[in-house]
Amino acid sequence: MAELPERATDAKCESDGVLDRSYRGTWQMPRADLDAWVNRYFPDREPPAATGIPSSCKADLCVAVHRDPMAATTKGAYTIGLAADFEPDGTAHIRYSSSTY
Protein backbone atom coordinates (compact mmCIF):
# COMPACT_ATOMS: atom_id res chain seq x y z
CA MET A 1 0.00 0.00 0.00
CA ALA A 2 2.99 2.29 -0.49
CA GLU A 3 3.67 4.45 -3.52
CA LEU A 4 7.05 5.23 -4.98
CA PRO A 5 8.45 8.47 -3.59
CA GLU A 6 7.61 11.52 -5.68
CA ARG A 7 11.23 12.15 -6.70
CA ALA A 8 12.21 8.48 -7.22
CA THR A 9 14.37 7.71 -10.25
CA ASP A 10 15.70 4.59 -11.97
CA ALA A 11 12.82 2.47 -10.62
CA LYS A 12 12.87 -1.22 -11.47
CA CYS A 13 10.09 -3.43 -10.11
CA GLU A 14 8.98 -7.02 -10.57
CA SER A 15 6.40 -9.31 -9.03
CA ASP A 16 5.75 -13.06 -8.88
CA GLY A 17 2.78 -15.22 -8.00
CA VAL A 18 -0.91 -15.43 -8.75
CA LEU A 19 -2.93 -15.60 -5.52
CA ASP A 20 -0.01 -14.88 -3.23
CA ARG A 21 2.27 -12.17 -4.57
CA SER A 22 5.81 -11.11 -3.90
CA TYR A 23 7.35 -7.85 -5.07
CA ARG A 24 10.92 -6.62 -5.44
CA GLY A 25 12.17 -3.26 -6.53
CA THR A 26 15.05 -0.84 -6.53
CA TRP A 27 15.21 2.93 -7.04
CA GLN A 28 17.15 6.07 -6.19
CA MET A 29 15.67 8.95 -4.24
CA PRO A 30 16.91 12.05 -2.43
CA ARG A 31 18.16 11.05 1.00
CA ALA A 32 16.44 14.12 2.45
CA ASP A 33 13.04 12.65 1.43
CA LEU A 34 13.60 9.19 2.89
CA ASP A 35 12.54 9.64 6.52
CA ALA A 36 9.25 11.35 5.65
CA TRP A 37 8.42 8.65 3.06
CA VAL A 38 9.22 5.80 5.49
CA ASN A 39 7.23 7.45 8.30
CA ARG A 40 4.22 7.94 6.01
CA TYR A 41 4.00 4.40 4.62
CA PHE A 42 5.54 2.27 7.37
CA PRO A 43 4.48 3.70 10.73
CA ASP A 44 4.21 0.12 12.02
CA ARG A 45 7.85 -0.73 11.26
CA GLU A 46 9.84 -2.65 13.80
CA PRO A 47 12.27 -0.65 15.91
CA PRO A 48 15.88 -0.75 14.68
CA ALA A 49 18.26 -3.21 16.31
CA ALA A 50 19.95 -1.80 19.39
CA THR A 51 23.61 -0.86 19.18
CA GLY A 52 25.73 -3.98 19.47
CA ILE A 53 22.90 -6.33 18.44
CA PRO A 54 23.79 -8.16 15.21
CA SER A 55 21.45 -7.62 12.26
CA SER A 56 21.20 -9.36 8.89
CA CYS A 57 20.68 -5.97 7.21
CA LYS A 58 23.97 -4.26 6.44
CA ALA A 59 22.50 -1.09 4.85
CA ASP A 60 22.58 2.45 6.25
CA LEU A 61 18.83 2.24 6.98
CA CYS A 62 16.81 -0.95 7.38
CA VAL A 63 13.03 -1.16 7.66
CA ALA A 64 11.12 -4.34 8.56
CA VAL A 65 7.35 -4.66 8.83
CA HIS A 66 5.36 -7.76 9.77
CA ARG A 67 1.58 -7.41 9.65
CA ASP A 68 -1.06 -9.84 10.86
CA PRO A 69 -2.73 -11.25 7.72
CA MET A 70 -5.92 -11.93 9.70
CA ALA A 71 -6.31 -8.38 11.06
CA ALA A 72 -9.13 -6.37 9.51
CA THR A 73 -6.84 -3.35 9.29
CA THR A 74 -4.16 -5.14 7.24
CA LYS A 75 -4.10 -3.95 3.65
CA GLY A 76 -1.50 -5.00 1.08
CA ALA A 77 1.66 -6.84 2.02
CA TYR A 78 2.12 -8.86 5.22
CA THR A 79 5.91 -8.72 5.26
CA ILE A 80 7.99 -5.80 4.01
CA GLY A 81 11.73 -5.27 3.92
CA LEU A 82 13.48 -2.11 2.82
CA ALA A 83 17.19 -1.33 2.80
CA ALA A 84 18.68 2.06 1.95
CA ASP A 85 22.33 2.74 1.15
CA PHE A 86 23.33 6.39 1.38
CA GLU A 87 25.37 7.71 -1.55
CA PRO A 88 27.92 10.57 -1.38
CA ASP A 89 25.83 12.64 -3.84
CA GLY A 90 22.94 12.97 -1.34
CA THR A 91 20.79 10.18 -2.77
CA ALA A 92 19.71 6.89 -1.27
CA HIS A 93 19.71 3.63 -3.22
CA ILE A 94 16.62 1.67 -2.10
CA ARG A 95 16.06 -2.10 -2.21
CA TYR A 96 12.50 -3.17 -1.44
CA SER A 97 10.77 -6.54 -1.08
CA SER A 98 7.33 -7.54 0.15
CA SER A 99 4.90 -10.43 0.04
CA THR A 100 1.26 -11.16 0.67
CA TYR A 101 1.89 -14.62 2.15
Side-chain angles (χ1 to χ4, degrees):
M1 298 303 293
E3 296 178 8
L4 279 173
E6 186 176 309
R7 299 193 300 163
T9 59
D10 301 323
K12 296 176 182 79
C13 300
E14 57 184 49
S15 66
D16 296 310
V18 177
L19 296 175
D20 297 323
R21 308 254 343 150
S22 66
Y23 303 88
R24 289 169 305 287
T26 61
W27 65 87
Q28 298 282 123
M29 66 182 292
R31 183 176 170 187
D33 296 352
L34 184 58
D35 285 341
W37 182 79
V38 167
N39 289 334
R40 178 177 180 189
Y41 287 107
F42 310 110
D44 54 345
R45 68 189 176 277
E46 295 175 6
T51 303
I53 304 285
S55 171
S56 61
C57 181
K58 303 299 181 202
D60 293 310
L61 174 71
C62 301
V63 174
V65 178
H66 294 88
R67 297 176 177 153
D68 180 356
M70 303 309 285
T73 57
T74 298
K75 305 270 190 269
Y78 305 146
T79 60
I80 300 165
L82 182 136
D85 294 310
F86 302 151
E87 305 295 338
D89 66 356
T91 62
H93 176 79
I94 310 299
R95 296 180 313 279
Y96 172 90
S97 64
S98 65
S99 66
T100 60
Y101 54 85

